[in-house]
PDB file of all heavy atoms in Angstrom:
ATOM      1  N   TYR A 128     -12.685   5.408  -8.935  1.00 97.00           N
ATOM      2  CA  TYR A 128     -13.775   4.647  -8.314  1.00 97.00           C
ATOM      3  C   TYR A 128     -13.853   4.814  -6.795  1.00 97.00           C
ATOM      4  O   TYR A 128     -14.768   4.292  -6.157  1.00 97.00           O
ATOM      5  CB  TYR A 128     -13.697   3.170  -8.708  1.00 97.00           C
ATOM      6  CG  TYR A 128     -14.351   2.870 -10.057  1.00 97.00           C
ATOM      7  CD1 TYR A 128     -14.785   3.901 -10.888  1.00 97.00           C
ATOM      8  CD2 TYR A 128     -14.538   1.569 -10.490  1.00 97.00           C
ATOM      9  CE1 TYR A 128     -15.372   3.650 -12.114  1.00 97.00           C
ATOM     10  CE2 TYR A 128     -15.137   1.293 -11.729  1.00 97.00           C
ATOM     11  CZ  TYR A 128     -15.554   2.340 -12.530  1.00 97.00           C
ATOM     12  OH  TYR A 128     -16.145   2.081 -13.739  1.00 97.00           O
ATOM     13  N   GLY A 129     -12.872   5.497  -6.210  1.00 98.00           N
ATOM     14  CA  GLY A 129     -13.011   5.986  -4.840  1.00 98.00           C
ATOM     15  C   GLY A 129     -12.890   4.979  -3.706  1.00 98.00           C
ATOM     16  O   GLY A 129     -13.260   5.280  -2.562  1.00 98.00           O
ATOM     17  N   TYR A 130     -12.366   3.780  -3.987  1.00 98.00           N
ATOM     18  CA  TYR A 130     -12.224   2.783  -2.909  1.00 98.00           C
ATOM     19  C   TYR A 130     -11.065   3.212  -2.012  1.00 98.00           C
ATOM     20  O   TYR A 130      -9.947   3.376  -2.494  1.00 98.00           O
ATOM     21  CB  TYR A 130     -11.915   1.404  -3.521  1.00 98.00           C
ATOM     22  CG  TYR A 130     -12.474   0.229  -2.754  1.00 98.00           C
ATOM     23  CD1 TYR A 130     -13.379  -0.633  -3.333  1.00 98.00           C
ATOM     24  CD2 TYR A 130     -12.090  -0.019  -1.430  1.00 98.00           C
ATOM     25  CE1 TYR A 130     -13.904  -1.721  -2.643  1.00 98.00           C
ATOM     26  CE2 TYR A 130     -12.611  -1.090  -0.732  1.00 98.00           C
ATOM     27  CZ  TYR A 130     -13.512  -1.938  -1.344  1.00 98.00           C
ATOM     28  OH  TYR A 130     -14.021  -2.993  -0.642  1.00 98.00           O
ATOM     29  N   PRO A 131     -11.281   3.416  -0.719  1.00 98.00           N
ATOM     30  CA  PRO A 131     -10.164   3.832   0.136  1.00 98.00           C
ATOM     31  C   PRO A 131      -9.049   2.785   0.085  1.00 98.00           C
ATOM     32  O   PRO A 131      -9.298   1.598   0.292  1.00 98.00           O
ATOM     33  CB  PRO A 131     -10.784   3.906   1.537  1.00 98.00           C
ATOM     34  CG  PRO A 131     -12.263   4.019   1.296  1.00 98.00           C
ATOM     35  CD  PRO A 131     -12.537   3.275   0.032  1.00 98.00           C
ATOM     36  N   VAL A 132      -7.840   3.236  -0.210  1.00 98.00           N
ATOM     37  CA  VAL A 132      -6.756   2.277  -0.447  1.00 98.00           C
ATOM     38  C   VAL A 132      -6.431   1.452   0.807  1.00 98.00           C
ATOM     39  O   VAL A 132      -6.041   0.295   0.714  1.00 98.00           O
ATOM     40  CB  VAL A 132      -5.511   2.985  -1.049  1.00 98.00           C
ATOM     41  CG1 VAL A 132      -4.878   3.945  -0.072  1.00 98.00           C
ATOM     42  CG2 VAL A 132      -4.520   1.969  -1.573  1.00 98.00           C
ATOM     43  N   GLU A 133      -6.666   2.033   1.988  1.00 98.00           N
ATOM     44  CA  GLU A 133      -6.411   1.285   3.235  1.00 98.00           C
ATOM     45  C   GLU A 133      -7.360   0.092   3.354  1.00 98.00           C
ATOM     46  O   GLU A 133      -7.047  -0.885   4.031  1.00 98.00           O
ATOM     47  CB  GLU A 133      -6.599   2.193   4.463  1.00 98.00           C
ATOM     48  CG  GLU A 133      -5.619   3.355   4.583  1.00 98.00           C
ATOM     49  CD  GLU A 133      -5.905   4.495   3.604  1.00 98.00           C
ATOM     50  OE1 GLU A 133      -7.020   4.557   3.033  1.00 98.00           O
ATOM     51  OE2 GLU A 133      -4.986   5.317   3.400  1.00 98.00           O
ATOM     52  N   GLU A 134      -8.529   0.192   2.717  1.00 98.00           N
ATOM     53  CA  GLU A 134      -9.480  -0.935   2.724  1.00 98.00           C
ATOM     54  C   GLU A 134      -9.242  -1.861   1.543  1.00 98.00           C
ATOM     55  O   GLU A 134      -9.433  -3.072   1.640  1.00 98.00           O
ATOM     56  CB  GLU A 134     -10.917  -0.405   2.632  1.00 98.00           C
ATOM     57  CG  GLU A 134     -11.415   0.270   3.878  1.00 98.00           C
ATOM     58  CD  GLU A 134     -12.860   0.762   3.697  1.00 98.00           C
ATOM     59  OE1 GLU A 134     -13.680   0.028   3.117  1.00 98.00           O
ATOM     60  OE2 GLU A 134     -13.138   1.890   4.126  1.00 98.00           O
ATOM     61  N   ALA A 135      -8.837  -1.297   0.421  1.00 98.00           N
ATOM     62  CA  ALA A 135      -8.661  -2.113  -0.789  1.00 98.00           C
ATOM     63  C   ALA A 135      -7.389  -2.968  -0.719  1.00 98.00           C
ATOM     64  O   ALA A 135      -7.391  -4.128  -1.172  1.00 98.00           O
ATOM     65  CB  ALA A 135      -8.605  -1.208  -2.022  1.00 98.00           C
ATOM     66  N   ALA A 136      -6.321  -2.416  -0.148  1.00 98.00           N
ATOM     67  CA  ALA A 136      -5.029  -3.111  -0.166  1.00 98.00           C
ATOM     68  C   ALA A 136      -5.089  -4.487   0.512  1.00 98.00           C
ATOM     69  O   ALA A 136      -4.620  -5.478  -0.064  1.00 98.00           O
ATOM     70  CB  ALA A 136      -3.946  -2.229   0.459  1.00 98.00           C
ATOM     71  N   PRO A 137      -5.662  -4.609   1.736  1.00 98.00           N
ATOM     72  CA  PRO A 137      -5.707  -5.942   2.356  1.00 98.00           C
ATOM     73  C   PRO A 137      -6.514  -6.952   1.542  1.00 98.00           C
ATOM     74  O   PRO A 137      -6.175  -8.140   1.528  1.00 98.00           O
ATOM     75  CB  PRO A 137      -6.379  -5.708   3.718  1.00 98.00           C
ATOM     76  CG  PRO A 137      -6.523  -4.259   3.899  1.00 98.00           C
ATOM     77  CD  PRO A 137      -6.173  -3.554   2.625  1.00 98.00           C
ATOM     78  N   ILE A 138      -7.546  -6.482   0.850  1.00 98.00           N
ATOM     79  CA  ILE A 138      -8.359  -7.393   0.028  1.00 98.00           C
ATOM     80  C   ILE A 138      -7.539  -7.892  -1.161  1.00 98.00           C
ATOM     81  O   ILE A 138      -7.495  -9.091  -1.461  1.00 98.00           O
ATOM     82  CB  ILE A 138      -9.650  -6.679  -0.450  1.00 98.00           C
ATOM     83  CG1 ILE A 138     -10.538  -6.346   0.756  1.00 98.00           C
ATOM     84  CG2 ILE A 138     -10.405  -7.512  -1.478  1.00 98.00           C
ATOM     85  CD1 ILE A 138     -11.680  -5.380   0.458  1.00 98.00           C
ATOM     86  N   ALA A 139      -6.855  -6.961  -1.832  1.00 98.00           N
ATOM     87  CA  ALA A 139      -6.029  -7.331  -2.982  1.00 98.00           C
ATOM     88  C   ALA A 139      -4.941  -8.328  -2.570  1.00 98.00           C
ATOM     89  O   ALA A 139      -4.715  -9.340  -3.232  1.00 98.00           O
ATOM     90  CB  ALA A 139      -5.405  -6.069  -3.584  1.00 98.00           C
ATOM     91  N   ILE A 140      -4.286  -8.043  -1.455  1.00 98.00           N
ATOM     92  CA  ILE A 140      -3.158  -8.874  -1.018  1.00 98.00           C
ATOM     93  C   ILE A 140      -3.632 -10.236  -0.525  1.00 98.00           C
ATOM     94  O   ILE A 140      -3.082 -11.279  -0.900  1.00 98.00           O
ATOM     95  CB  ILE A 140      -2.342  -8.129   0.063  1.00 98.00           C
ATOM     96  CG1 ILE A 140      -1.578  -6.973  -0.588  1.00 98.00           C
ATOM     97  CG2 ILE A 140      -1.383  -9.076   0.779  1.00 98.00           C
ATOM     98  CD1 ILE A 140      -0.893  -6.061   0.386  1.00 98.00           C
ATOM     99  N   GLN A 141      -4.677 -10.248   0.293  1.00 98.00           N
ATOM    100  CA  GLN A 141      -5.158 -11.522   0.849  1.00 98.00           C
ATOM    101  C   GLN A 141      -5.665 -12.450  -0.267  1.00 98.00           C
ATOM    102  O   GLN A 141      -5.383 -13.649  -0.262  1.00 98.00           O
ATOM    103  CB  GLN A 141      -6.265 -11.266   1.869  1.00 98.00           C
ATOM    104  CG  GLN A 141      -6.662 -12.512   2.673  1.00 98.00           C
ATOM    105  CD  GLN A 141      -5.562 -12.961   3.636  1.00 98.00           C
ATOM    106  OE1 GLN A 141      -5.178 -12.212   4.524  1.00 98.00           O
ATOM    107  NE2 GLN A 141      -5.032 -14.166   3.444  1.00 98.00           N
ATOM    108  N   THR A 142      -6.390 -11.889  -1.211  1.00 98.00           N
ATOM    109  CA  THR A 142      -6.920 -12.693  -2.326  1.00 98.00           C
ATOM    110  C   THR A 142      -5.771 -13.321  -3.114  1.00 98.00           C
ATOM    111  O   THR A 142      -5.801 -14.504  -3.470  1.00 98.00           O
ATOM    112  CB  THR A 142      -7.782 -11.812  -3.258  1.00 98.00           C
ATOM    113  OG1 THR A 142      -8.806 -11.183  -2.476  1.00 98.00           O
ATOM    114  CG2 THR A 142      -8.423 -12.624  -4.368  1.00 98.00           C
ATOM    115  N   THR A 143      -4.739 -12.527  -3.351  1.00 98.00           N
ATOM    116  CA  THR A 143      -3.582 -13.014  -4.109  1.00 98.00           C
ATOM    117  C   THR A 143      -2.818 -14.080  -3.331  1.00 98.00           C
ATOM    118  O   THR A 143      -2.448 -15.126  -3.873  1.00 98.00           O
ATOM    119  CB  THR A 143      -2.649 -11.824  -4.434  1.00 98.00           C
ATOM    120  OG1 THR A 143      -3.400 -10.875  -5.182  1.00 98.00           O
ATOM    121  CG2 THR A 143      -1.444 -12.276  -5.226  1.00 98.00           C
ATOM    122  N   MET A 144      -2.597 -13.834  -2.043  1.00 97.00           N
ATOM    123  CA  MET A 144      -1.863 -14.822  -1.226  1.00 97.00           C
ATOM    124  C   MET A 144      -2.607 -16.150  -1.193  1.00 97.00           C
ATOM    125  O   MET A 144      -2.002 -17.215  -1.343  1.00 97.00           O
ATOM    126  CB  MET A 144      -1.682 -14.290   0.196  1.00 97.00           C
ATOM    127  CG  MET A 144      -0.545 -13.293   0.305  1.00 97.00           C
ATOM    128  SD  MET A 144      -0.409 -12.598   1.960  1.00 97.00           S
ATOM    129  CE  MET A 144       0.013 -14.064   2.887  1.00 97.00           C
ATOM    130  N   ASP A 145      -3.909 -16.082  -0.984  1.00 97.00           N
ATOM    131  CA  ASP A 145      -4.710 -17.318  -0.923  1.00 97.00           C
ATOM    132  C   ASP A 145      -4.613 -18.075  -2.242  1.00 97.00           C
ATOM    133  O   ASP A 145      -4.501 -19.298  -2.263  1.00 97.00           O
ATOM    134  CB  ASP A 145      -6.181 -16.992  -0.614  1.00 97.00           C
ATOM    135  CG  ASP A 145      -6.377 -16.499   0.808  1.00 97.00           C
ATOM    136  OD1 ASP A 145      -5.430 -16.637   1.620  1.00 97.00           O
ATOM    137  OD2 ASP A 145      -7.464 -15.954   1.109  1.00 97.00           O
ATOM    138  N   TYR A 146      -4.649 -17.350  -3.349  1.00 98.00           N
ATOM    139  CA  TYR A 146      -4.595 -17.991  -4.665  1.00 98.00           C
ATOM    140  C   TYR A 146      -3.226 -18.643  -4.893  1.00 98.00           C
ATOM    141  O   TYR A 146      -3.131 -19.790  -5.341  1.00 98.00           O
ATOM    142  CB  TYR A 146      -4.884 -16.968  -5.757  1.00 98.00           C
ATOM    143  CG  TYR A 146      -5.159 -17.608  -7.098  1.00 98.00           C
ATOM    144  CD1 TYR A 146      -6.413 -18.112  -7.408  1.00 98.00           C
ATOM    145  CD2 TYR A 146      -4.144 -17.732  -8.059  1.00 98.00           C
ATOM    146  CE1 TYR A 146      -6.666 -18.713  -8.636  1.00 98.00           C
ATOM    147  CE2 TYR A 146      -4.390 -18.326  -9.287  1.00 98.00           C
ATOM    148  CZ  TYR A 146      -5.654 -18.818  -9.564  1.00 98.00           C
ATOM    149  OH  TYR A 146      -5.901 -19.429 -10.780  1.00 98.00           O
ATOM    150  N   LEU A 147      -2.165 -17.919  -4.557  1.00 97.00           N
ATOM    151  CA  LEU A 147      -0.814 -18.454  -4.796  1.00 97.00           C
ATOM    152  C   LEU A 147      -0.535 -19.699  -3.962  1.00 97.00           C
ATOM    153  O   LEU A 147       0.226 -20.570  -4.373  1.00 97.00           O
ATOM    154  CB  LEU A 147       0.246 -17.379  -4.518  1.00 97.00           C
ATOM    155  CG  LEU A 147       0.299 -16.231  -5.530  1.00 97.00           C
ATOM    156  CD1 LEU A 147       1.358 -15.206  -5.131  1.00 97.00           C
ATOM    157  CD2 LEU A 147       0.576 -16.735  -6.951  1.00 97.00           C
ATOM    158  N   LYS A 148      -1.166 -19.782  -2.804  1.00 96.00           N
ATOM    159  CA  LYS A 148      -0.966 -20.963  -1.939  1.00 96.00           C
ATOM    160  C   LYS A 148      -1.382 -22.243  -2.642  1.00 96.00           C
ATOM    161  O   LYS A 148      -0.820 -23.305  -2.400  1.00 96.00           O
ATOM    162  CB  LYS A 148      -1.768 -20.805  -0.640  1.00 96.00           C
ATOM    163  CG  LYS A 148      -1.045 -19.953   0.395  1.00 96.00           C
ATOM    164  CD  LYS A 148      -1.904 -19.747   1.646  1.00 96.00           C
ATOM    165  CE  LYS A 148      -1.347 -18.589   2.456  1.00 96.00           C
ATOM    166  NZ  LYS A 148      -2.358 -18.007   3.365  1.00 96.00           N
ATOM    167  N   THR A 149      -2.394 -22.148  -3.514  1.00 96.00           N
ATOM    168  CA  THR A 149      -2.897 -23.346  -4.199  1.00 96.00           C
ATOM    169  C   THR A 149      -2.619 -23.327  -5.705  1.00 96.00           C
ATOM    170  O   THR A 149      -3.056 -24.233  -6.411  1.00 96.00           O
ATOM    171  CB  THR A 149      -4.417 -23.498  -3.965  1.00 96.00           C
ATOM    172  OG1 THR A 149      -5.051 -22.257  -4.285  1.00 96.00           O
ATOM    173  CG2 THR A 149      -4.710 -23.850  -2.513  1.00 96.00           C
ATOM    174  N   HIS A 150      -1.943 -22.296  -6.194  1.00 98.00           N
ATOM    175  CA  HIS A 150      -1.670 -22.193  -7.636  1.00 98.00           C
ATOM    176  C   HIS A 150      -0.209 -21.845  -7.896  1.00 98.00           C
ATOM    177  O   HIS A 150       0.110 -20.714  -8.308  1.00 98.00           O
ATOM    178  CB  HIS A 150      -2.597 -21.163  -8.306  1.00 98.00           C
ATOM    179  CG  HIS A 150      -4.011 -21.621  -8.355  1.00 98.00           C
ATOM    180  ND1 HIS A 150      -4.869 -21.471  -7.299  1.00 98.00           N
ATOM    181  CD2 HIS A 150      -4.693 -22.282  -9.315  1.00 98.00           C
ATOM    182  CE1 HIS A 150      -6.044 -22.002  -7.628  1.00 98.00           C
ATOM    183  NE2 HIS A 150      -5.958 -22.502  -8.834  1.00 98.00           N
ATOM    184  N   PRO A 151       0.671 -22.823  -7.702  1.00 97.00           N
ATOM    185  CA  PRO A 151       2.106 -22.562  -7.883  1.00 97.00           C
ATOM    186  C   PRO A 151       2.489 -22.286  -9.333  1.00 97.00           C
ATOM    187  O   PRO A 151       3.628 -21.880  -9.605  1.00 97.00           O
ATOM    188  CB  PRO A 151       2.768 -23.864  -7.396  1.00 97.00           C
ATOM    189  CG  PRO A 151       1.704 -24.903  -7.540  1.00 97.00           C
ATOM    190  CD  PRO A 151       0.400 -24.202  -7.294  1.00 97.00           C
TER     191      PRO A 151
END
Side-chain angles (χ1 to χ4, degrees):
Y128 276 9
Y130 213 119
V132 67
E133 296 74 16
E134 288 180 42
I138 295 167
I140 289 172
Q141 190 69 61
T142 305
T143 301
M144 281 176 65
D145 290 347
Y146 193 82
L147 290 178
K148 278 177 197 159
T149 51
H150 291 83

